[in-house]
Structure formats: C-alpha cells, structure tokens
Amino acid sequence: MISDNAKKTNSLADDIESVLFTEQDLDGIVSKVAKEITEHYYEKVLVNKEKLVILGVLNGSFQFVSDLVKKIDLPLEIEFMFASSYGKKTKSTGEVNIQVGKNPEVLDDPNANIIIVEDIVDSGNTLSKLMSVMRDKGNKSVALCSLFDKPERRTVEIDVDFLGAKVPDEFIVGYGLDYDEKYRNMPFVGVLKREIYEN
Ligand code: 5GP
Ligand code: MG
C-alpha cells in the first residue's frame, strides 16, 4: 500500500505545467493517423500483396506504436529500432548509428513498404540521416510517421508523411516522451515545468 503522502510526492503530474493532449485527444489523433495509413496502403497490401512494416523508433514511440497498430486494419509486421547520433559533440553532422531488433532483413525486402514511426520531429537531424540510410536499402517505399512535429525548430528539411499534431516550441513529456528517461508512462502529454530541468 502506498501512503497518501508518498503518492503526493511521487505524482508525475505534479511536474507538469500544462496538459497539451489528454488521453482522449491522443486517441483521436492516433485514430486519424491510422485511418490515413490504412487508406494509403490498402490497395498495396490487400490487392498487390505488398508487405507493410511498422518500424518504431525506440524508446519514444512505444506507446504510439502500440495504439497505432491496433487501429490499422491491415496485415502488417512490427519491428523496432534504435537510432543514435554519434560523432564529435562540436560537429552538427554526426553519423547515425542504427540498430534494428529481431528481423533486420525485412528492411531490405524488395516487397516491403516501411513506415518509420517516431515520437517527435524537432531539428530533424536524426531522421533525415535515418531516412537517407533507409532509402538506399532497396525496399518498395519508406515513409515517415510522427506523432508530433515542432516545425519552428527544424534545421534540415524533412517531410512527415503521416503526422499526428503540430506542437509549440516547448519541452513536452508523456505518452512515450521522456525527460531523463522519466514520464514515458504518463497516459497524457504535457509541458514539463522548467524548474525540473533548469535545476
Ligand atoms: P531531432 O529531430 O532534433 O534530430 O531529434 C528529435 C528527438 O529529440 C526526438 O525523437 C525526441 O527524442 C527528442 N525531442 C525533441 N523534442 C522533444 C520534446 O519536446 N520532448 C521530449 N521528451 N523529447 C524531445
Ligand atoms: Mg526519439
């Protein structure tokens, strides 16, 4: 049993300045994206018998992927990857290091349509490198799906094919998005209080 006092000091919601998207808002956003994806790939998958692969970028996309695939009414495969930029800190252009989970060969499948699923596109640096690596792989198509987009912060041009919602230039957490690996388990999305990361 957690005491009321412990509950109070441990509540993640106490660290949130304002709620941007409630659980209900997120459900509507995810349904909209799933519908767009289903309509776009319907013929390719059901008539032309092409593969559809949902490729989630960990860890941030885990909640989004989980809810999204439940709403896509098509046969599909689910794979996950880690993408991390490395290289010298003073350089803005690092290589992108990609690690794919269980079945990396699916990305080279000439019959596969890949949808990379991200939590949020910010500067766009990581994703633009990721997309160029993926486009060299010889699959049928590569598309980008992101739950959120912060267009004000973009430094490289990148097209999001399936977008959930635009967000203002604020640091947001919840529904997969973290600060210092925390808050990913919150069912809603909010702006983190500045005092949490400025201390
Ligand atoms: P970029 O587009 O700059 O290469 O990197 C995007 C990544 O930065 C996202 O996948 C996410 O991990 C992180 N990020 C960007 N903006 C936010 C934000 O507002 N909140 C959180 N939690 N992560 C963010
Ligand atoms: Mg990320």
Side-chain angles (χ1 to χ4, degrees):
M1 241 337 235
I2 305 172
S3 72
D4 281 352
N5 221 17
K7 254 192 226 160
K8 219 182 260 170
T9 52
N10 285 333
S11 175
L12 295 173
D14 288 347
D15 298 347
I16 302 305
E17 185 72 56
S18 60
V19 175
L20 270 189
F21 301 101
T22 64
E23 269 189 88
Q24 206 181 358
D25 295 335
L26 290 166
D27 187 70
I29 289 169
V30 176
S31 297
K32 178 202 75 173
V33 175
K35 187 165 178 275
E36 284 171 18
I37 290 175
T38 306
E39 284 169 4
H40 186 85
Y41 292 94
Y42 177 88
E43 195 176 317
K44 296 175 194 291
V45 174
L46 295 182
V47 180
N48 303 343
K49 306 294 177 204
E50 296 172 17
K51 241 184 218 180
L52 179 59
V53 180
I54 300 294
L55 180 60
V57 182
L58 291 172
N59 293 330
S61 73
F62 85 100
Q63 291 220 45
F64 180 37
V65 169
S66 169
D67 289 337
L68 182 68
V69 294
K70 284 181 265 187
K71 294 173 189 279
I72 300 174
D73 192 15
L74 293 173
L76 54 80
E77 294 183 23
I78 301 164
E79 190 51 82
F80 288 99
M81 71 190 296
F82 285 100
S84 53
S85 294
Y86 60 90
K88 292 195 183 94
K89 266 195 184 150
T90 49
K91 271 189 168 179
S92 61
T93 54
E95 300 284 303
V96 61
N97 180 22
I98 300 173
Q99 278 175 280
V100 181
K102 197 167 155 250
N103 190 18
E105 59 278 10
V106 75
L107 304 189
D108 305 297
D109 186 333
N111 198 38
N113 297 279
I114 316 281
I115 307 179
I116 298 175
V117 181
E118 257 286 17
D119 50 1
I120 184 165
V121 186
D122 189 38
S123 73
N125 274 319
T126 313
L127 269 174
S128 75
K129 285 183 204 112
L130 191 59
M131 291 296 278
S132 65
V133 173
M134 293 294 301
R135 285 206 171 100
D136 289 340
K137 283 195 171 284
N139 42 54
K140 203 125 222 154
S141 70
V142 183
L144 174 61
C145 171
S146 184
L147 178 58
F148 300 123
D149 186 8
K150 248 189 219 174
E152 285 170 56
R153 300 251 313 163
R154 199 61 43 81
T155 56
V156 286
E157 204 181 308
I158 184 153
D159 289 328
V160 182
D161 303 284
F162 305 100
L163 175 66
K166 286 185 181 163
V167 292
D169 184 11
E170 308 244 37
F171 194 78
I172 60 173
V173 293
Y175 196 66
L177 290 117
D178 75 309
Y179 171 66
D180 200 16
E181 295 305 323
K182 279 188 355 194
Y183 309 99
R184 292 196 198 276
N185 56 324
M186 289 198 320
F188 62 91
V189 171
V191 177
L192 192 63
K193 284 183 180 164
R194 282 188 171 269
E195 65 206 56
I196 304 294
Y197 55 91
E198 279 179 351
N199 281 339

